[in-house]
Amino acid sequence: MPTTARPATAARPATTAARRVVLWVPDWPVAAAVAEGLVDPQVPVAVHDGRGVLVASASARRAGVRAGMRRRSAQQLCPELELLPADPVRDARAFEPLVQAVETVVADVEVARPGMVVFLARGPVRHVGSEDALAELLVGTVAAETGAECQVGIGDGLLAATLAARAGVLVPAGRETTAAFLSGQDVGVLVHAAGTRQAVAETDELVDLLRRLGLRTLGAFASLGAGDVAARFGTRGLAAHRLARGEDARPPVSRRVEDDVVAATELDPPAARSDVAAFAARSLAEQLAERLLRRGVVCARLEVRARTEDGAELVRTWSIDGSPTAAELTDRVRWQLEGWLAGRSGRPPSAPLTHLDLTAQEVSPAGAVQDGLWGRSSRGQVQAARAALRVQGLLGAEGVLVPVLQGGRDPRSAARLVAWGDDPAPLRRTDAPWPGQVPEPWPATVPGEPVEVRLLDDAGADVAVDERGSVSGPPARVVVPPPPAGRPPPAVDPGRYRVRAWAGPWPVRERWWAGGRPRVYLQVVTDDSPALLLAVEDERWRVEGVYD
């Protein structure tokens, strides 16, 4: 049950921040996996994104597993650890029953992200009688209806309420009490108020810069003048500065500046499955993002509204931080549709969906936006991004992939393909040492699928590589067979090519503990084709790269 952080005096000065309630479920990605029946709740569990651990269960933390830790290190500390890949759709789908439970107590709630809801405190507190009673009622209702353990925090402004929920306290209203609660907090907590991937990335950059400047606490950051912050850190820095001062990220306005922005579509035929509805939602989210961009405005809330064949309506509101991209809007709509249509909420739609509309609420002018280091995105870049989203709407999320460079010992492992709009972050550090790496320069072209070839010596025998990495004889010919019928032409034209020079071999054996097979690389220069990077594995030679 939440406790109350009582001030030394009963003073209650006025504040410009709205008083908010935040309901937060600790370790939600783990709780979502348990709710979906993927893991035993008694087993230590950690959720990772390929780069490291994102969140760990309480039993895993007792064994020493921490967020940010590499998977191998986590498994060394806790051999029985169950590792699960991150899945935002799973998190949102499993969170819908909890939001529905909260709605039995509070009428108007916003989903900040899976695992956290926020709403204004004034109406519910007046209805229940006190903030303590409201917090107790929410915790009990969620536990009774979903079995989840949550924490409730109440404070002035989103950041104070969010930190209060994470601490399980109620911060009394007032500028002084809010400032006292926030001042000693590390500036890194600003990321808890960021709701989108872009906002998280920008906040991380801001936090890193503040720490390098010696501004390590919210109090130190809040002591700066707003004009100085705006001039040095731009729009994102000014919004963070307001949060650090216990205010809302955007200043309050006395009148409604902009009308809501709406995008709607009819679903014909009606959609009973989330993947069918998400297909239409992707195009709709792109339309909404384009209208916001064309009007030069941003929104603070996204309302997703669906209507079923029998006339019933489903409504959910999501908090939005900053200027949402089409991909950010699509994510939230897709998550919500999955939560409604997956059938796990206990209250699925009564009939297939026939209508879907998205409404951008609390719309305000975008204001001055600080350019990036190399200037704003060109018109061509914006048009290319929109075209990519349209193609994704036709082919699915995996229909448009972009390469991301990362660390590795060979050209193929040093790049990964991610869906357009997903986080283009490398899974392995590029600046880490990679012993045994194939020497540079690397080939300019890496075939999507390796091309199998034969490598022969002067006697016409296949060149073999022994366990010590030595070749059985100098390479003399590369034989590229024609592709099977119906297959596209390979990266190298079929034929027999005489080897003029070669270099290597370079043996690579990695992840042997996980069944990784040893490989040996060889560079060859031929008479009538480009230079090739060859690799042998299980006595089979393949073209892994083509040099210009």
Side-chain angles (χ1 to χ4, degrees):
M1 175 177 173
T3 59
T4 303
R6 298 296 181 189
T9 66
R12 185 172 175 173
T15 176
T16 60
R19 192 149 179 83
R20 287 183 168 83
V21 181
V22 170
L23 184 146
W24 174 67
V25 182
D27 310 327
W28 176 250
V30 172
V34 173
E36 298 252 315
L38 299 180
V39 291
D40 188 328
Q42 305 302 322
V43 175
V45 183
V47 176
H48 68 91
D49 63 352
R51 289 169 289 177
V53 173
L54 295 177
V55 62
S57 64
S59 57
R61 290 196 298 272
R62 286 194 294 269
V65 179
R66 295 291 182 269
M69 185 177 290
R70 292 187 177 276
R71 290 179 295 173
R72 192 187 312 170
S73 301
Q75 288 176 316
Q76 288 175 343
L77 289 171
C78 184
E80 66 274 19
L81 181 68
E82 185 78 24
L83 282 170
L84 294 175
D87 186 352
V89 176
R90 177 185 67 215
D91 297 345
R93 181 175 60 228
F95 194 54
E96 179 61 19
L98 191 144
V99 181
Q100 292 178 355
V102 175
E103 284 183 322
T104 64
V105 178
V106 181
D108 186 16
V109 302
E110 300 175 24
V111 181
R113 54 182 173 269
M116 178 175 147
V117 297
V118 59
F119 52 90
L120 295 176
R122 182 178 179 183
V125 169
R126 290 179 62 184
H127 178 72
V128 175
S130 69
E131 292 182 349
D132 294 278
L134 176 62
E136 186 174 354
L137 178 60
L138 287 169
V139 172
T141 301
V142 169
E145 295 201 16
T146 69
E149 296 182 1
C150 67
Q151 296 181 187
V152 174
I154 304 179
D156 293 343
L158 177 61
L159 181 61
T162 301
L163 298 181
R166 298 178 74 87
V169 301
L170 310 181
V171 181
R175 189 185 297 272
E176 281 78 6
T177 53
T178 301
F181 176 70
L182 293 175
S183 62
Q185 305 269 4
D186 186 271
V187 290
V189 300
L190 287 168
V191 75
H192 297 314
T196 63
R197 288 195 302 266
Q198 179 180 351
V200 169
E202 291 176 354
T203 304
D204 283 338
E205 292 180 5
L206 174 65
V207 168
D208 180 64
L209 178 57
L210 292 175
R211 286 172 174 164
R212 286 189 279 117
L213 293 174
L215 302 170
R216 299 184 178 277
T217 64
L218 294 180
F221 184 36
S223 66
L224 302 179
D228 296 334
V229 171
R232 178 62 181 84
F233 303 108
T235 306
R236 174 62 60 183
L238 188 58
H241 183 252
R242 292 184 59 84
L243 291 173
R245 294 172 57 188
E247 302 173 357
D248 289 325
R250 292 187 296 176
V253 294
S254 58
R255 61 186 178 87
R256 184 172 180 174
V257 180
E258 299 282 348
D259 293 331
D260 293 343
V261 181
V262 181
T265 187
E266 299 295 330
L267 302 178
D268 187 17
R273 300 201 325 264
S274 58
D275 56 343
V276 176
F279 180 84
R282 184 179 295 274
S283 175
L284 202 61
E286 181 189 352
Q287 293 178 28
L288 185 64
E290 187 173 357
R291 291 173 186 176
L292 291 171
L293 180 64
R294 189 164 56 242
R295 287 177 52 177
V297 294
V298 296
C299 67
R301 291 158 47 111
L302 172 68
E303 182 187 79
V304 184
R305 184 181 297 268
R307 189 164 57 246
T308 65
E309 276 187 316
D310 58 5
E313 280 198 343
L314 304 170
V315 183
R316 178 72 67 239
T317 303
W318 287 76
S319 297
I320 296 292
D321 183 19
S323 178
T325 64
E328 298 282 4
L329 294 175
T330 299
D331 282 345
R332 278 148 184 79
V333 180
R334 181 165 56 96
W335 296 345
Q336 188 55 56
L337 292 173
E338 185 74 21
W340 280 334
L341 296 170
R344 293 179 174 85
S345 66
R347 283 179 279 174
S350 55
L353 306 183
T354 60
H355 178 86
L356 181 66
D357 67 60
L358 311 180
T359 304
Q361 300 177 338
E362 295 187 15
V363 176
S364 62
V369 178
Q370 190 177 34
D371 288 347
L373 182 61
W374 306 112
R376 296 181 180 177
S377 299
S378 67
R379 181 178 178 85
Q381 290 174 314
V382 174
Q383 291 176 337
R386 292 173 181 169
L389 287 172
R390 291 190 183 98
V391 174
Q392 278 187 319
L394 296 173
L395 304 180
E398 300 301 322
V400 181
L401 303 176
V402 295
V404 177
L405 295 180
Q406 61 183 6
R409 292 182 172 82
D410 61 87
R412 188 173 298 279
S413 65
R416 60 186 289 255
L417 295 176
V418 300
W420 177 269
D422 286 353
D423 185 12
L427 299 182
R428 296 187 293 268
R429 290 173 46 194
T430 57
D431 58 346
W434 293 97
Q437 185 182 63
V438 175
E440 296 183 348
W442 280 4
T445 302
V446 177
E449 293 293 336
V451 181
E452 289 199 16
V453 298
R454 292 185 64 191
L455 186 63
L456 309 177
D457 58 18
D458 284 324
D462 290 303
V463 175
V465 181
D466 60 23
E467 294 181 353
R468 293 178 173 270
S470 301
V471 295
S472 59
R477 293 281 190 279
V478 177
V479 180
V480 182
R487 298 288 297 274
V492 184
D493 293 334
R496 297 174 64 91
Y497 301 97
R498 187 171 66 87
V499 176
R500 290 195 294 111
W502 60 282
W506 297 285
V508 173
R509 184 168 188 178
E510 52 187 354
R511 300 189 63 81
W512 51 266
W513 60 91
R517 307 289 297 174
R519 304 184 305 279
V520 176
Y521 289 87
L522 207 68
Q523 292 173 332
V524 298
V525 179
T526 64
D527 280 336
D528 302 318
S529 75
L532 306 175
L533 177 65
L534 305 179
V536 61
E537 182 177 340
D538 294 332
E539 300 182 354
R540 299 167 65 184
W541 287 95
R542 303 176 302 182
V543 176
E544 286 284 343
V546 180
Y547 296 89
D548 285 344

